[in-house]
Amino acid sequence: MKRFALIGAAGYIAPRHMRAIKDTGSELACAYDINDSVGIIDSLSPQSEFFTEFERFYDHAWRLKRDLATALDIVSICSPNYLHHAHINAGLRLGCDVICEKPLVPSTAMLDDLLLTEKETGRRLYNILQLRHHQAIIDLKQQVEAGKQDHKHDVELTYITSRGKWYMESWKGDPRKSFGVATNIGVHFYDMLHFIFGKLQRNVVHYVNEFKAAGYLEYENARVRWFLSIDANDLPDSVKGKKPTYRSITCDGAEIEFSDGFSDLHTVSYQAILDGKGYGIEDARHCVETVETIRSLAPSRAQDGEGHPFLARLLG
């Protein structure tokens, strides 16, 4: 049984990590968050210690190291994006392996720094790339790899997840902390596209503001038009008033249905890590490079066939 610590226990995604820790037969020994809205712990790991000050959390974790019976094995990180780098380093330096939510870090320079920390500590960092474990994605990857065609697949990615006014008041609405919409809600889709269609060959941004972004990605085996948004006004008429989220991926005109099967992917990811099959720094490098480039690009006019259908109404 592995002993875990959790950093960012009050975050949206933290309960999935707590559930994964429990469902893999492990123990959440201690948790930390600056906010104390963590009542979910009672139903999953009521014996866990909890701290609202990082210094007290770190001191407690360090003292646990003195006894093999209490020492932590793994630190899980669900904190805001801009804190990942510091929290990952802290976990590795505690002598623990680390599991971190995406985006792992905002830049490849930070990835290289974490490689040094891995080398210095002898511990490993793993990224949660849960879509790689989704059966529909695995099936599509196998179809693409088995197919023999003389043209690239035409892919259209649309993801609209409505967010209220709270979003822009939170750290997620601050690009210095979330690194913007494309990074915050899109990074796992970019990883999925790379996982299925190979290396990225071209990266173009057509539109970007604090609420939405659109662009074009060309991979070894696909041409991808993408659109991401947190604005409910972008929802298709068929969805408005019925659901707050619209997720669609088509490949050569055929819809890829993967709306279901998300509920236990964190547990699957944790089990893979515990089995020695987790995704590490180099696995995350491609999607980190992709979002880092997207943030650096100035929007340009879409060439024929490269603009997402929603782009036209944004540009008027």
Side-chain angles (χ1 to χ4, degrees):
M1 182 177 67
K2 299 294 185 181
R3 285 171 56 81
F4 279 78
L6 178 66
I7 296 176
Y12 162 78
I13 206 68
R16 297 190 194 181
H17 287 256
M18 294 182 200
R19 172 62 67 184
I21 290 168
K22 181 177 181 179
D23 289 350
T24 54
S26 299
E27 175 190 1
L28 179 60
C30 57
Y32 157 74
D33 201 293
I34 60 172
N35 298 305
D36 59 10
S37 299
V38 291
I40 186 69
I41 292 177
D42 287 345
S43 63
L44 296 172
S45 300
Q47 79 290 343
S48 173
E49 299 289 345
F50 176 70
F51 303 90
T52 57
E53 296 167 312
F54 186 79
E55 294 83 357
R56 293 180 61 232
F57 162 80
Y58 195 85
D59 180 66
H60 177 76
W62 186 265
R63 284 187 284 111
L64 292 177
K65 285 183 61 177
R66 293 173 175 164
D67 186 338
L68 288 177
T70 62
L72 297 171
D73 299 295
I74 302 174
V75 175
S76 294
I77 297 172
C78 307
S79 53
N81 299 349
Y82 74 106
L83 294 174
H84 286 180
H85 182 256
H87 287 158
I88 290 167
N89 272 319
L92 293 172
R93 288 169 183 153
L94 279 169
C96 299
D97 289 336
V98 173
I99 299 173
C100 185
E101 266 297 337
K102 59 207 165 297
L104 197 58
V105 286
S107 70
T108 55
M110 285 187 178
L111 288 180
D112 294 337
D113 178 75
L114 293 173
L115 282 171
L116 290 176
T117 311
E118 278 193 333
K119 184 176 181 180
E120 291 163 355
T121 61
R123 310 310 300 178
R124 288 290 310 277
L125 166 62
Y126 300 97
N127 199 191
I128 294 292
L129 300 173
Q130 76 268 33
L131 288 182
R132 295 190 182 203
H133 296 289
H134 196 292
Q135 192 58 51
I137 302 305
I138 294 171
D139 292 344
L140 179 59
K141 176 180 172 64
Q142 292 173 343
Q143 292 172 21
V144 169
E145 291 176 345
K148 297 183 182 298
Q149 60 180 50
D150 56 5
H151 67 278
K152 296 185 178 186
H153 296 279
D154 284 311
V155 177
E156 194 172 284
L157 165 64
T158 310
Y159 181 51
I160 303 164
T161 178
S162 307
R163 295 291 184 262
K165 294 180 180 179
W166 68 268
Y167 187 95
M168 299 308 296
E169 294 298 321
S170 74
W171 66 266
K172 296 181 180 182
D174 185 344
R176 297 169 301 175
K177 295 180 177 181
S178 68
F179 312 116
V181 168
T183 299
N184 193 45
I185 71 170
V187 67
H188 58 301
F189 289 116
Y190 302 132
D191 175 72
M192 177 199 71
L193 292 168
H194 160 59
F195 180 65
I196 298 172
F197 299 111
K199 292 182 179 179
L200 182 61
Q201 298 173 330
R202 190 159 166 252
N203 189 342
V204 183
V205 172
H206 297 144
Y207 186 92
V208 63
N209 67 17
E210 56 191 337
F211 303 107
K212 63 198 77 177
Y216 174 80
L217 297 163
E218 188 160 336
Y219 295 86
E220 290 177 286
N221 295 304
R223 303 168 70 251
V224 182
R225 296 172 295 278
W226 61 269
F227 178 83
L228 305 171
S229 174
I230 60 169
D231 185 352
N233 293 317
D234 292 321
L235 289 169
D237 291 338
S238 60
V239 173
K240 282 182 180 178
K242 301 175 183 176
K243 294 190 297 183
T245 299
Y246 176 76
R247 182 191 295 111
S248 173
I249 299 179
T250 63
C251 183
D252 298 327
E255 185 81 23
I256 304 167
E257 178 51 54
F258 70 114
S259 296
D260 297 324
F262 276 91
S263 59
D264 64 347
L265 290 184
H266 276 72
T267 298
V268 173
S269 298
Y270 267 64
Q271 191 60 61
I273 291 167
L274 294 174
D275 292 341
K277 302 174 184 177
Y279 293 112
I281 291 175
E282 292 306 327
D283 296 297
R285 185 174 293 274
H286 193 283
C287 61
V288 171
E289 289 177 340
T290 301
V291 294
E292 185 177 19
T293 300
I294 287 173
R295 293 197 306 272
S296 71
L297 292 172
S300 60
R301 182 182 297 273
Q303 297 183 19
D304 289 345
E306 295 183 359
H308 190 280
F310 286 19
L311 185 63
R313 61 185 184 186
L314 293 180
L315 299 177

